Amino acid sequence: MSACTNAQEFSTLTITTETLGGFLGGAMIVQNLKGSLRIIVILFYIVCLWNQAAGLCPVRCECNDDILSAVCDSTKLVVVPITLNPEVRELRLTNNFIKSIYLTFSFYQNLEFLDISHNQLTTLGENNFVDLKELKVLLVNSNMISLLQNGTFKGLNSLKVLHLKENYLQALPAKCFVQLENLDLLDLCQNSIYSIDQEAFFGLKNLKTLLLRSNKLTHIPSTSFQYISKLFKLDLGLNSFENMTENSFSDLNDLEELSLDGCGIKIIQHGAFKGLNSLLILRIHDNELREVPTNALFDVIRLEELHIGKNKFQSLKAKSFQRLKFLRVIEINDCPNLSEIEKGAFADNSDLKIIVINHNKELKHVQDGAFDNLPNVQHVSFRGNSFETLQYGLLPWSDLVFLDVRDNPFVCDCSLFWLWKLLSTKNFSSFDGQDDMTQVFCFNPPELKERALGKLSFDDLDCYSLESIHQLIIVLVSGVL
């Protein structure tokens, strides 16, 4: 019987995850040996056990040799186990106490998916992934990594997804991702990045998604974008850009989605969006804009979706969104100073289908004609504003699929007869299937306060006075026309 065959007898012993990668159960017999002899014997056992295709699965891990996966999440590991099935393709090691990956992953050269998030790594070192030629997804979120080196990702030529979210990175040096020529998604959110070298993204010629949200950037790293010209999605939200200068994104001709929310932007200069010929979705909400950047938006004429709420403009002026002829979705929520929507505000936006203008506490007045020439609108939400009434001719209300006008201080009188009738006869859909769009409550007069408009009677609306009859006739005639 060979020595390796004898070693197999130890493979059924308990494997502890706190010592030497979880394999010492097969080497407890040498616990009294010291120095180099002990190391030699341990290595001897590893080599012998390596011949067993199934490998050794550490305590509390879940290993499946049929699908070649090993899940060692929350197992109190302090090192990466090295006695798993050498053919393993998926390895999960999250929520452990691993502090180093030095010379560990070379045992698993067929890995395609590796998750080492929520550990105690302070560095990824160099050349530690050099043998992982098949790796496609690498997740290293929520560690303590503060530095990337030129050789950190060497060997990862097949990598498609890299997550480094919630680490301690402060700077991205030149060519730190140079080996990742096939990378599709790079997530660097929730770090402390304040500096990006102009060659930081050199080599990422196929990158489609770059996430830099919630860092400490004080200017848009425009010069770095020249190496990622195929980018489709860029998220720079929750940084600190007060001023957006001309040609900030001129190299990103293929970009389709851009997020700049929560950056404290006060000024968007004319030409800031120049070059964004393919942009479809723009998020510039939650900034310090005092007016709609109409001129700057001239350069994104293909835009289909715009989120511009939580800014400080006081009104939506005529043709605020001029030239945005393909705009289909607009969201203007939580603007503290917005008080009026002027006639023709959406005059150039005849493709609009979804209008969401919610929770603008000062918004009381909408001029006649503010929503004229919108034949395709299907979804309207005016929830939580300060509307006391809404005019029947403002929108084609009866043609809408979705309508939400809840939480406004409505005065329930004959001017809302059309809305009372609409809520009584038409069921509007809701996104979650739970909200009851008919629950529109009265604020005034006092005797009707907190009563649902749709459940009032015709008498409650006081449509018998001469003025009310006149208003009612106008509503009815408008409906007939």
Side-chain angles (χ1 to χ4, degrees):
M1 185 176 293
S2 68
C4 283
T5 303
N6 290 331
Q8 185 179 0
E9 296 176 4
F10 294 100
S11 65
T12 58
L13 299 178
T14 300
I15 308 300
T16 63
T17 60
E18 289 83 6
T19 58
L20 292 174
F23 76 91
L24 279 184
M28 291 296 289
I29 193 170
V30 296
Q31 62 183 348
N32 294 322
L33 297 178
K34 296 182 178 180
S36 60
L37 178 60
R38 182 180 180 185
I39 294 174
I40 291 171
V41 174
I42 290 174
L43 292 176
F44 171 76
Y45 274 99
I46 293 175
V47 172
C48 292
L49 293 173
W50 205 254
N51 291 324
Q52 310 303 315
L56 297 175
C57 190
V59 174
R60 294 186 294 273
C61 290
E62 296 180 5
C63 303
N64 189 322
D65 289 322
D66 293 328
I67 60 173
L68 296 173
S69 73
V71 179
C72 295
D73 295 339
S74 304
T75 52
K76 299 183 180 180
L77 286 172
V78 295
V79 290
V80 176
I82 58 174
T83 57
L84 300 169
N85 188 334
E87 303 296 322
V88 68
R89 294 180 183 174
E90 178 181 342
L91 178 56
R92 298 177 184 268
L93 301 167
T94 66
N95 290 296
N96 285 296
F97 305 102
I98 299 171
K99 296 182 179 181
S100 173
I101 58 171
Y102 181 66
L103 297 179
T104 55
F105 295 122
S106 58
F107 292 97
Y108 310 116
Q109 297 184 14
N110 292 327
L111 272 180
E112 296 179 2
F113 180 100
L114 174 60
D115 189 353
I116 47 176
S117 300
H118 296 277
N119 277 283
Q120 298 178 3
L121 298 173
T122 57
T123 179
L124 296 177
E126 292 189 275
N127 300 315
N128 286 318
F129 304 109
V130 71
D131 294 311
L132 302 185
K133 307 295 184 185
E134 304 299 321
L135 194 67
K136 293 179 175 60
V137 178
L138 175 58
L139 309 180
V140 202
N141 298 323
S142 301
N143 279 277
M144 296 179 285
I145 299 164
S146 59
L147 178 65
L148 298 178
Q149 299 166 276
N150 286 348
T152 294
F153 303 109
K154 187 176 182 180
L156 297 179
N157 304 98
S158 299
L159 198 68
K160 294 286 187 181
V161 176
L162 174 59
H163 283 205
L164 287 163
K165 181 179 179 180
E166 202 173 352
N167 277 283
Y168 293 168
L169 295 173
Q170 297 183 10
L172 300 181
K175 301 182 179 181
C176 57
F177 304 107
V178 67
Q179 296 89 359
L180 305 179
E181 59 184 19
N182 289 305
L183 196 68
D184 183 83
L185 185 153
L186 175 59
D187 187 347
L188 295 163
C189 296
Q190 291 179 256
N191 279 276
S192 298
I193 299 170
Y194 65 88
S195 173
I196 297 179
D197 188 275
Q198 65 178 5
E199 293 189 336
F201 302 128
F202 182 88
L204 297 178
K205 58 184 180 181
N206 291 304
L207 192 67
K208 300 296 188 299
T209 301
L210 175 60
L211 309 178
L212 282 162
R213 188 175 192 82
S214 190
N215 277 284
K216 296 184 178 180
L217 296 170
T218 56
H219 67 278
I220 295 171
S222 305
T223 58
S224 304
F225 296 150
Q226 60 184 307
Y227 301 107
I228 50 176
S229 59
K230 293 184 179 180
L231 205 64
F232 284 172
K233 178 179 179 179
L234 174 62
D235 190 346
L236 291 167
L238 297 179
N239 281 281
S240 300
F241 315 128
E242 286 193 3
N243 185 12
M244 286 180 56
T245 59
E246 187 177 1
N247 293 314
S248 293
F249 307 98
S250 57
D251 290 308
L252 302 179
N253 301 126
D254 293 336
L255 196 70
E256 295 182 357
E257 184 174 346
L258 174 61
S259 296
L260 293 162
D261 55 292
C263 291
I265 299 171
K266 295 180 178 179
I267 299 174
I268 300 180
Q269 295 182 10
H270 182 62
F273 298 125
K274 188 176 180 180
L276 296 178
N277 306 319
S278 302
L279 197 68
L280 301 177
I281 301 173
L282 176 61
R283 298 182 179 89
I284 50 175
H285 58 279
D286 197 11
N287 282 295
E288 302 291 326
L289 299 173
R290 295 192 175 274
E291 59 182 20
V292 176
T294 303
N295 292 334
L297 294 173
F298 284 176
D299 293 314
V300 288
I301 58 174
R302 290 190 59 193
L303 198 68
E304 295 182 1
E305 184 174 330
L306 176 61
H307 300 260
I308 196 172
K310 285 191 177 180
N311 277 289
K312 294 186 176 180
F313 36 79
Q314 296 182 356
S315 66
L316 298 181
K317 301 183 184 302
K319 294 189 176 182
S320 286
F321 309 101
Q322 191 175 2
R323 297 192 188 180
L324 302 184
K325 297 186 182 299
F326 299 100
L327 194 65
R328 297 182 179 182
V329 179
I330 190 161
E331 174 269 309
I332 310 172
N333 295 337
D334 298 292
C335 295
N337 302 324
L338 181 62
S339 61
E340 184 177 42
I341 302 176
E342 296 183 6
K343 180 180 180 179
F346 303 97
D348 271 13
N349 316 122
S350 58
D351 269 6
L352 267 177
K353 291 186 177 181
I354 298 176
I355 301 172
V356 181
I357 304 178
N358 292 338
H359 304 296
N360 303 284
K361 297 303 182 183
E362 297 298 318
L363 183 56
K364 299 179 180 179
H365 185 57
V366 179
Q367 291 185 6
D368 291 342
F371 297 99
D372 280 359
N373 192 34
L374 300 179
N376 299 306
V377 67
Q378 298 178 355
H379 173 128
V380 172
S381 183
F382 289 161
R383 186 173 185 178
N385 297 299
S386 292
F387 295 134
E388 293 182 354
T389 190
L390 289 170
Q391 299 302 318
Y392 178 78
L394 203 61
L395 280 159
W397 306 102
S398 58
D399 294 336
L400 299 179
V401 175
F402 177 98
L403 173 64
D404 190 355
V405 293
R406 293 173 294 170
D407 303 328
N408 281 282
F410 284 124
V411 176
C412 293
D413 58 21
C414 204
S415 66
L416 288 180
F417 170 78
W418 68 269
L419 182 56
W420 169 74
K421 185 175 181 180
L422 188 67
L423 295 175
S424 303
T425 58
K426 185 177 176 68
N427 291 323
F428 291 104
S429 63
S430 64
F431 283 139
D432 55 16
Q434 298 178 353
D435 288 344
D436 185 355
M437 300 295 104
T438 66
Q439 294 304 298
V440 178
F441 292 95
C442 303
F443 187 79
N444 273 311
E447 61 269 20
L448 298 180
K449 189 172 183 178
E450 297 184 0
R451 290 183 62 183
L453 174 61
K455 296 182 179 179
L456 298 180
S457 68
F458 183 77
D459 292 341
D460 290 326
L461 295 177
D462 190 23
C463 289
Y464 293 109
S465 66
L466 289 177
E467 182 180 355
S468 297
I469 291 173
H470 182 252
Q471 292 177 346
L472 180 59
I473 291 172
I474 292 174
V475 170
L476 293 175
V477 171
S478 298
V480 171
L481 291 176

